[in-house]
Amino acid sequence: DAGVTQSPTHLIKTRGQQVTLRCSPKSGHDTVSWYQQALGQGPQFIFQYYEEEERQRGNFPDRFSGHQFPNYSSELNVNALLLGDSALYLCASNTGGQNEAFFGQGTRLTVV
Amino acid sequence: AQTVTQSQPEMSVQEAETVTLSCTYDTSESNYYLFWYKQPPSRQMILVIRQEAYKQQNATENRFSVNFQKAAKSFSLKISDSQLGDTAMYFCAFLPKYIFGTGTRLKVLA
C-alpha cells in the first residue's frame, strides 16, 4: 500500500503564476482534504472533496480551487500566486467524515 | 467558532522519562473527534492517537495515552518512556471542523 502520495515534492513559482498540486489517496479511501501549513504553524484546512464534489471549505479565497477525479485522486489549483502562498501543502485522505486522516509528505511551494 | 489551543510551543524531556503535552479546545458540538498527530522533520503527519468524544474511557496506544476531560474541554497527550524517535512537532486536531492547533515542538534528549 503506497499510502497518500503527493507530487511534486518541491516547487518554485513566480508571483502571479498559477500552480497545480496533485494527490493520490491511500488505497480504499474516497475522501481527500487539502491543508496549507505555513512555516512554524499548524495545518489550515482548505477544502475537502468527496464523490468529485467540494464538500467543505475553509477560509480561503476563490484563488484556491480543486478537483477530484473518478479514481479519487485530487488536484489543488492556486491562481494569481502571492508571496504569502509559500507554504507546505498537505493532502490527506480518509473514508467517512470522522475517521482519522492519513497524510502525504506534502508539496513545499515557494513563491518568489 | 471552534478553536484548538496548544499553549506549550516547545518542550523537552529526557530519554525514558514521561512528558505531557496540553491541548484545550472550544466547541458547542456534542459529537466530535480529537486527534494527536506527530510531524517529524520528514514533514509527514502521522496519527498518534484518537479519541471519540462520546467515549468516557481515555484512549491508549502503547506508550501514548490521553487524558480527555470533556467538561473542561481538555485533551492532553502523555508519552511514557520517551524515545529519541519521539522528537517531532505534535499537533492536536479537532473534527468535524478540521482544526489543528499551533503545535508543540518536543525534543527528547539523550
Side-chain angles (χ1 to χ4, degrees), chain B:
Chain B
Q2 285 89 349
T3 59
V4 175
T5 302
Q6 294 180 249
S7 58
Q8 305 152 312
E10 290 192 12
M11 296 191 71
S12 61
V13 62
Q14 288 293 134
E15 198 174 6
E17 302 272 299
T18 295
V19 65
T20 299
L21 309 183
S22 301
C23 173
T24 59
Y25 61 95
D26 189 21
T27 183
S28 57
E29 308 252 0
S30 58
N31 184 26
Y32 53 89
Y33 293 71
L34 295 162
F35 301 85
W36 278 98
Y37 279 91
K38 165 185 175 181
Q39 188 177 39
S42 66
R43 308 183 326 201
Q44 185 157 16
M45 203 79 76
I46 301 165
L47 177 68
V48 175
I49 198 165
R50 79 178 245 167
Q51 174 80 44
E52 292 88 343
Y54 63 86
K55 289 186 178 179
Q56 293 187 342
Q57 187 172 7
N58 289 323
T60 299
E61 288 286 342
N62 300 314
R63 299 182 294 109
F64 299 89
S65 62
V66 300
N67 184 4
F68 176 49
Q69 302 288 330
K70 189 172 184 179
K73 296 179 180 170
S74 170
F75 181 60
S76 61
L77 173 69
K78 186 172 83 171
I79 306 174
S80 305
D81 185 25
S82 296
Q83 300 176 0
L84 296 177
D86 295 334
T87 294
M89 284 290 291
Y90 286 81
F91 293 96
C92 176
F94 171 92
L95 266 68
K97 286 298 183 183
Y98 300 92
I99 300 172
F100 280 74
T102 52
T104 296
R105 183 178 303 278
L106 176 67
K107 289 184 181 178
V108 180
L109 307 172

Side-chain angles (χ1 to χ4, degrees), chain A residues 30 48-55 66-73:
Chain A
D30 57 10
Q48 182 185 73
Y49 276 83
Y50 172 70
E51 292 189 342
E52 303 178 51
E53 297 286 333
E54 183 182 289
R55 186 161 70 172
H67 188 75
Q68 185 179 33
F69 299 93
N71 66 353
Y72 307 119
S73 67

